[in-house]
Structures are given as C-alpha cells and as structure tokens.
C-alpha cells in the first residue's frame, strides 16, 4: 500500500503541476527567511516566514481538493483553495495552541525536578510533544478537505486513521523520512559543491570547530561573515529548493495514502457474493 501510494504520488506531481505551487511559495519564503536571518535582518525574517505559513493552507487545500476531484485545472485549484482554506488553517492553529500549552504544563515540573539539566529536559519535552502531535494529526488536512470536516472532527479523523492501521502508517512515515533524507543529502552535496572554496580552508584550519563553542548569535554572525554574500545566497537557495521539492511530494503522498486506505476499507466492508448471472448480493 505504501509503495503503491508512493507511485501514485509521483504520478500526481506529473499530472497536476499546480501541486508544486505549495512548495514553491513556502520554499521562497523560507529561503528569504534564512537569507534575512544570516544577513542580520531578523525582524523582517520572521514576518516573511509568517506570510509563507499563512499562504500555505490555501495551496495545500487547493492541491488536496484538485486531487480529490481528479482535476488539476487552475479553476478547480483556486476554487478548492478558497473553499477549504480555513478548514486547513484553523486546526493547525488549534494544534499549535494545544502543543504550546502541553509543553508548558509538562516542561515546567520537569525543569524543576531536573535542576541543572532543566534546559535539556525542556528541549526533550518539547520535541516529544511535537512528535506526538504530528504522529496523530498528520492527516487532518486531508480529512478536512476530502471529507469536508470541521476543526475537531478532522483532528479526530486523523487520529483514528493512524490508530486503525498503525503499522502501515508508521511505514508511511518512514518512507517520508527516507525521502526527506534523500533530498537533504542531495542538498548538502550541492551546498558543499557550491561553497567548497570557502568551506575547505575553514575545515583545514579548524575554525568550524571553534565556532561551536560560541553562543548561537555569535555563531550565526560569524558563519554569515565567513560565507560572504554569495555564500549566504547559496545557502538560502539550497534551503528553498529542498522545501520546494519535498512539500509537494509530501502533500501528494499523504493524499494518495489516505485515499488508498479509504478504498481498501470500503472494499473490505462490502461483503457478499455474485450469483450465476453476475448480480452482486451484499450480506
């Protein structure tokens, strides 16, 4: 099922090119965010990233709606994007709020208990909460668009979807991680090739190791200075390309997997037999 969904996702990306717009828009805003961060313009960086995150639900809804209707035309894409924008956005806001509250409620007592290791405990808690929420809520947008569900109904449907076939869903997640790692390794290779002339002397001199002992702000400023303007642009470009490639694939793969699971469950529920004249009788 996972492999079949993977193949279908690749077919959807070819058949419906507008799915790529989600990755392109988010990739551009994320790339600009990285560029502005490394350039010291942190105030504008956050605003650009927020704009990209607010635009993303429209393109996700348009892509999922187009896949649902099996029509990749611009008219259908725009119609579905406008129709389901808030169905995708609002559950994400609820998830963000719930995650922040959960992290606060769990991290504060753990930090008090951990004492000197409070920072590590809080970080581990935040990571665990985020992964848990992502595990069970990952399909909420597909459920919201395909089944036209509300905020809490889509989250509930996503959790039920994961729990009913947990093993296959974990395999699906593993395939996503493998695809992300593949794209990531390719991006690292490209980034290293573009900046080899700058990185090689630093690695040989040991300056990259020394940077690890400084605070985060100093490391960011020093790293940007070592890269230079061209290196900062190259870093932002590679980062944008990774997102532009992976986000559309993740959307198509998610939609294909959700649809294939629904088709299998629907077929399994139709129990019966054909008579000698080819007529179907359901028990």
């Amino acid at each position: 099922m996972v492999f079949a969904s993977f193949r279908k996702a690749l077919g959807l990306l070819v058949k419906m090119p507008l799915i790529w717009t989600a990755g392109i828009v988010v990739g551009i805003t994320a790339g600009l965010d990285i560029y502005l961060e490394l350039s010291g313009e942190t105030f504008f960086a956050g605003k650009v990233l927020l704009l990209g995150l607010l635009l993303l639900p429209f393109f996700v809804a348009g892509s999922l709606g187009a896949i649902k209707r099996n029509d990749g035309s611009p008219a259908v894409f725009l119609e579905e994007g406008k129709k389901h924008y808030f169905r995708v956005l609002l559950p994400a806001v609820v998830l963000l709020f719930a995650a922040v509250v959960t992290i606060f409620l769990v991290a504060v007592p753990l930090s008090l208990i951990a004492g000197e290791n409070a920072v590590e405990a809080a970080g581990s808690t935040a990571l665990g909460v985020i992964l848990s929420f992502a595990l069970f809520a990952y399909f909420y947008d597909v459920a919201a668009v395909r089944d036209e569900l509300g905020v809490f109904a889509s989250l509930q449907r996503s959790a039920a979807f994961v729990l009913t076939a947990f093993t296959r869903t974990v395999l699906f997640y593993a395939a996503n991680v493998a695809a992300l790692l593949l794209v990531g390794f390719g991006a690292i290779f490209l980034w290293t090739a573009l900046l080899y002339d700058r990185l090689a002397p630093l690695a040989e001199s040991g300056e990259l190791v020394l940077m690890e002992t400084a605070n985060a702000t100093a490391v960011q400023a020093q790293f940007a200075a070592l890269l230079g303007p061209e290196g900062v642009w190259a870093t932002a470009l590679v980062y944008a390309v990774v997102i532009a490639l992976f986000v559309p694939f993740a959307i198509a793969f998610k939609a294909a997997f959700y649809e294939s699971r629904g088709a299998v469950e629907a077929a399994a529920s139709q129990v019966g037999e054909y008579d000698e004249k080819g007529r179907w009788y359901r028990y």
Side-chain angles (χ1 to χ4, degrees), residues 27-256:
I28 290 174
T29 56
L32 287 174
D33 173 67
I34 290 294
Y35 175 77
L36 293 172
E37 287 280 356
L38 294 177
S39 301
E41 302 289 345
T42 55
F43 176 79
F44 295 103
K47 303 298 186 294
V48 171
L49 184 60
L50 178 61
L51 176 62
L53 294 177
L54 290 176
L55 290 174
L56 180 59
F58 173 82
F59 293 95
V60 171
S63 300
L64 295 175
I67 295 172
K68 172 186 175 182
R69 295 171 59 173
N70 195 27
D71 187 345
S73 64
V76 170
F77 186 90
L78 293 174
E79 178 187 346
E80 293 293 323
K82 291 185 293 183
K83 179 181 178 181
H84 298 294
Y85 175 79
F86 289 102
R87 290 183 187 272
V88 176
L89 175 64
L90 294 180
V93 174
V94 171
L95 282 173
L96 177 62
F97 178 77
V100 171
V101 172
T102 304
I103 291 172
F104 178 78
L105 293 176
V106 176
V108 171
L110 286 179
S111 299
L112 294 176
I113 296 173
E116 296 180 355
N117 299 321
V119 176
E120 291 79 1
S124 300
T125 300
L127 180 61
V129 171
I130 292 172
L131 290 178
S132 299
F133 275 60
L135 175 67
F136 293 103
Y138 185 70
F139 297 94
Y140 87 86
D141 49 357
V142 194
V145 174
R146 291 192 63 87
D147 302 329
E148 299 189 355
L149 300 176
V151 175
F152 297 103
S154 63
L155 294 173
Q156 183 179 9
R157 178 67 59 84
S158 176
F161 182 84
V162 172
L163 291 172
T164 52
F166 189 76
T167 302
R168 283 179 291 183
T169 306
V170 169
L171 292 176
F172 165 79
Y173 288 145
N176 276 276
V177 172
L180 180 59
L181 290 176
L182 180 63
V183 175
F185 282 129
I188 292 174
F189 178 81
L190 176 61
W191 183 76
T192 305
L194 291 174
L195 302 178
Y196 179 79
D197 293 338
R198 292 181 177 272
L199 296 176
L202 296 177
E204 294 174 359
S205 64
E207 292 187 46
L208 291 178
V209 177
L210 295 175
M211 288 173 58
E212 297 178 0
T213 61
N215 62 70
T217 304
V219 168
Q220 179 175 303
Q222 186 179 2
F223 187 63
L226 293 172
L227 290 178
E230 295 181 357
V232 171
W233 271 114
T235 302
L237 178 62
V238 171
Y239 186 69
V241 169
V242 170
I243 295 179
L245 290 175
F246 182 73
V247 169
F249 166 77
I251 293 172
F253 194 19
K254 180 194 303 187

